[in-house]
Protein backbone atom coordinates (compact mmCIF):
# COMPACT_ATOMS: atom_id res chain seq x y z
CA UNK A 1 0.00 0.00 0.00
CA UNK A 2 1.51 3.32 -1.02
CA UNK A 3 1.27 6.64 0.83
CA UNK A 4 -1.58 7.96 -1.36
CA UNK A 5 -3.68 4.88 -0.65
CA UNK A 6 -3.11 5.27 3.09
CA UNK A 7 -4.18 8.92 2.94
CA UNK A 8 -7.23 8.11 0.82
CA UNK A 9 -8.43 5.34 3.14
CA UNK A 10 -7.74 7.45 6.24
CA UNK A 11 -9.54 10.45 4.71
CA UNK A 12 -12.65 8.48 3.78
CA UNK A 13 -12.77 6.90 7.23
CA UNK A 14 -12.12 10.22 8.98
CA UNK A 15 -15.08 11.75 7.08
CA UNK A 16 -17.38 9.01 8.34
CA UNK A 17 -16.19 9.25 11.95
CA UNK A 18 -16.13 13.06 12.01
CA UNK A 19 -19.63 13.51 10.63
CA UNK A 20 -21.09 10.73 12.78
CA UNK A 21 -19.89 12.72 15.78
CA UNK A 22 -20.90 16.15 14.41
CA UNK A 23 -24.39 14.91 13.54
CA UNK A 24 -24.94 13.88 17.17
CA UNK A 25 -24.18 17.37 18.52
CA UNK A 26 -26.78 19.96 19.37
CA UNK A 27 -26.94 23.13 17.26
CA UNK A 28 -24.79 25.26 19.58
CA UNK A 29 -22.07 22.64 19.84
CA UNK A 30 -22.22 21.87 16.11
CA UNK A 31 -21.53 25.57 15.30
CA UNK A 32 -18.10 25.20 16.92
CA UNK A 33 -17.09 22.65 14.27
CA UNK A 34 -19.01 23.43 11.07
CA UNK A 35 -20.67 26.45 9.51
CA UNK A 36 -22.93 26.91 6.49
CA UNK A 37 -21.01 26.93 3.20
CA UNK A 38 -22.45 29.81 1.21
CA UNK A 39 -20.69 28.51 -1.92
CA UNK A 40 -22.54 25.17 -1.72
CA UNK A 41 -26.12 25.88 -2.81
CA UNK A 42 -28.86 24.08 -4.69
CA UNK A 43 -30.69 25.32 -7.79
CA UNK A 44 -32.97 27.46 -5.56
CA UNK A 45 -29.99 29.22 -4.02
CA UNK A 46 -30.45 27.51 -0.67
CA UNK A 47 -27.31 26.62 1.27
CA UNK A 48 -27.05 22.83 1.32
CA UNK A 49 -23.56 22.23 2.63
CA UNK A 50 -21.19 23.06 5.44
CA UNK A 51 -17.50 23.70 5.85
CA UNK A 52 -15.31 23.23 8.85
CA UNK A 53 -14.40 25.96 11.29
CA UNK A 54 -10.78 26.16 12.41
CA UNK A 55 -11.58 23.87 15.35
CA UNK A 56 -13.46 21.49 13.07
CA UNK A 57 -10.49 21.30 10.71
CA UNK A 58 -8.14 20.60 13.61
CA UNK A 59 -10.36 17.80 14.91
CA UNK A 60 -10.75 16.29 11.44
CA UNK A 61 -7.00 16.41 10.78
CA UNK A 62 -6.34 14.80 14.16
CA UNK A 63 -8.71 11.92 13.35
CA UNK A 64 -7.14 11.48 9.92
CA UNK A 65 -3.61 11.54 11.35
CA UNK A 66 -4.46 8.90 13.95
CA UNK A 67 -6.00 6.70 11.26
CA UNK A 68 -2.89 6.98 9.07
CA UNK A 69 -0.79 6.00 12.07
CA UNK A 70 -3.07 3.03 12.76
CA UNK A 71 -2.87 1.89 9.14
CA UNK A 72 0.92 2.13 9.19
CA UNK A 73 1.17 0.19 12.47
CA UNK A 74 -1.17 -2.47 11.10
CA UNK A 75 0.85 -2.85 7.90
CA UNK A 76 4.07 -3.00 9.91
CA UNK A 77 2.61 -5.68 12.19
CA UNK A 78 1.40 -7.88 9.32
CA UNK A 79 4.62 -7.41 7.35
CA UNK A 80 6.61 -8.69 10.34
CA UNK A 81 4.42 -11.75 10.82
Amino acid sequence: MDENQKIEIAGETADIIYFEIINELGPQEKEKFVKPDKENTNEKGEIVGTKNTELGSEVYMSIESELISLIERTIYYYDKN
Side-chain angles (χ1 to χ4, degrees):
M1 176 179 296
D2 67 25
E3 195 65 28
N4 288 335
Q5 289 171 313
K6 291 177 200 174
I7 292 170
E8 184 176 332
I9 290 168
E12 290 174 6
T13 307
D15 276 345
I16 293 167
I17 293 168
Y18 179 75
F19 281 105
E20 283 293 322
I21 294 167
I22 295 302
N23 289 334
E24 293 298 319
L25 299 174
Q28 290 179 329
E29 288 299 313
K30 191 180 283 191
E31 289 176 358
K32 296 177 183 178
F33 299 94
V34 293
K35 60 185 175 183
D37 183 0
K38 296 176 184 173
E39 296 175 10
N40 190 351
T41 59
N42 63 17
E43 60 279 349
K44 296 179 184 177
E46 301 166 327
I47 297 173
V48 294
T50 60
K51 60 182 173 181
N52 291 334
T53 63
E54 186 174 334
L55 176 60
S57 293
E58 290 173 12
V59 170
Y60 175 86
M61 295 302 290
S62 178
I63 295 169
E64 185 180 55
S65 176
E66 290 299 321
L67 289 168
I68 290 170
S69 178
L70 176 62
I71 291 167
E72 290 173 344
R73 289 192 314 268
T74 303
I75 290 170
Y76 177 78
Y77 173 80
Y78 284 105
D79 283 349
K80 286 194 83 161
N81 293 314

